[in-house]
Amino acid sequence: MLSEKISKMLNDQVNLEFYSSNMYLQISAWCSSKGLEGGSHFFYKHSKEELDHMYKLFNYINDSGNIAIIGKIEEPPKSFSDFYSMIEKVYKHEQHVTKQITTLIDYCLSNKDYTTFNFLQWYVSEQHEEEKLIKGILDKSLMVQKEHIGIYMIDKYLSKISRDTTSS
Ligand code: OFO
């Protein structure tokens, strides 16, 4: 069984993952309203992944003999001034999620809850991947934002031809 404090911290994380899912679903709708089909599809898929993150925590709490509590989930932002500011917000959000996971891990270690510490390692790797993924989009968006669209297109082309030629 988990301590009351760790159970509460994990429940807060359940809510944060729910929030992430809702935030990305809302962004998917925003992208769609702007004719950004790629972005809409990307964030729709990402919203589902966040739900999986939430279920993992939800099940862990219940399997530990505690009870998962779904709290109030804040409304996500509905509109953005442009694509760049949207993706910047996403990056900041993922950094916030990483910080919360780190706080949880610190607490587990100092309170000798090695089982939860072990369980949370999956989230450590996941956050590393997610920050890398979103940072990549942010960097490319910055290029476009600064009107270096041509460079972005050339880089896309190079990436395509280098993949096409690696097997030959
Ligand atoms: Fe986007 O991250 Fe969940 O954990």
Side-chain angles (χ1 to χ4, degrees):
M1 192 146 180
L2 305 166
S3 75
E4 214 177 296
K5 171 78 177 168
I6 288 182
S7 175
K8 158 90 178 66
M9 288 173 92
L10 290 171
N11 270 310
D12 288 346
Q13 193 63 31
V14 164
N15 272 31
L16 186 59
E17 302 291 344
F18 248 129
Y19 176 83
S20 302
S21 176
N22 287 349
M23 179 175 169
Y24 296 152
L25 196 59
Q26 190 64 70
I27 290 176
S28 165
W30 179 81
C31 287
S32 175
S33 77
K34 301 285 174 201
L36 299 165
E37 287 163 23
S40 178
H41 181 69
F42 176 87
F43 281 104
Y44 187 83
K45 244 182 97 196
H46 217 79
S47 165
K48 285 185 171 176
E49 283 178 24
E50 296 296 348
L51 275 187
D52 288 340
H53 303 174
M54 183 280 295
Y55 284 129
K56 254 185 214 297
L57 285 153
F58 178 88
N59 291 331
Y60 179 77
I61 297 167
N62 291 329
D63 291 347
S64 302
N66 298 70
I67 178 164
I69 307 282
I70 312 296
K72 194 173 169 200
I73 299 150
E74 210 188 304
E75 258 184 46
K78 293 181 190 62
S79 65
F80 309 89
S81 48
D82 51 38
F83 187 88
Y84 182 78
S85 50
M86 177 275 284
I87 207 77
E88 197 176 32
K89 215 172 209 108
V90 170
Y91 187 53
K92 280 192 183 134
H93 178 68
E94 285 301 334
Q95 287 180 311
H96 172 65
V97 174
T98 303
K99 204 167 150 240
Q100 294 307 107
I101 296 287
T102 308
T103 305
L104 246 166
I105 285 183
D106 278 349
Y107 188 84
C108 289
L109 260 190
S110 51
N111 288 277
K112 299 187 174 15
D113 183 344
Y114 301 117
T115 311
T116 307
F117 172 82
N118 190 41
F119 164 75
L120 289 170
Q121 296 312 301
W122 183 86
Y123 289 84
V124 174
S125 315
E126 180 65 16
Q127 280 313 114
H128 180 73
E129 282 307 308
E130 299 225 311
E131 282 201 30
K132 182 180 155 203
L133 175 73
I134 305 297
K135 179 72 167 51
I137 304 170
L138 185 67
D139 290 343
K140 285 177 180 59
S141 310
L142 185 64
M143 267 188 234
V144 174
Q145 178 91 343
K146 288 186 168 170
E147 294 181 34
H148 295 313
I149 300 169
I151 295 173
Y152 173 65
M153 296 307 289
I154 287 171
D155 185 59
K156 239 180 125 186
Y157 174 68
L158 287 178
S159 158
K160 185 183 178 310
I161 59 167
S162 58
R163 248 182 267 132
D164 289 349
T165 51
T166 29
S167 50
S168 60

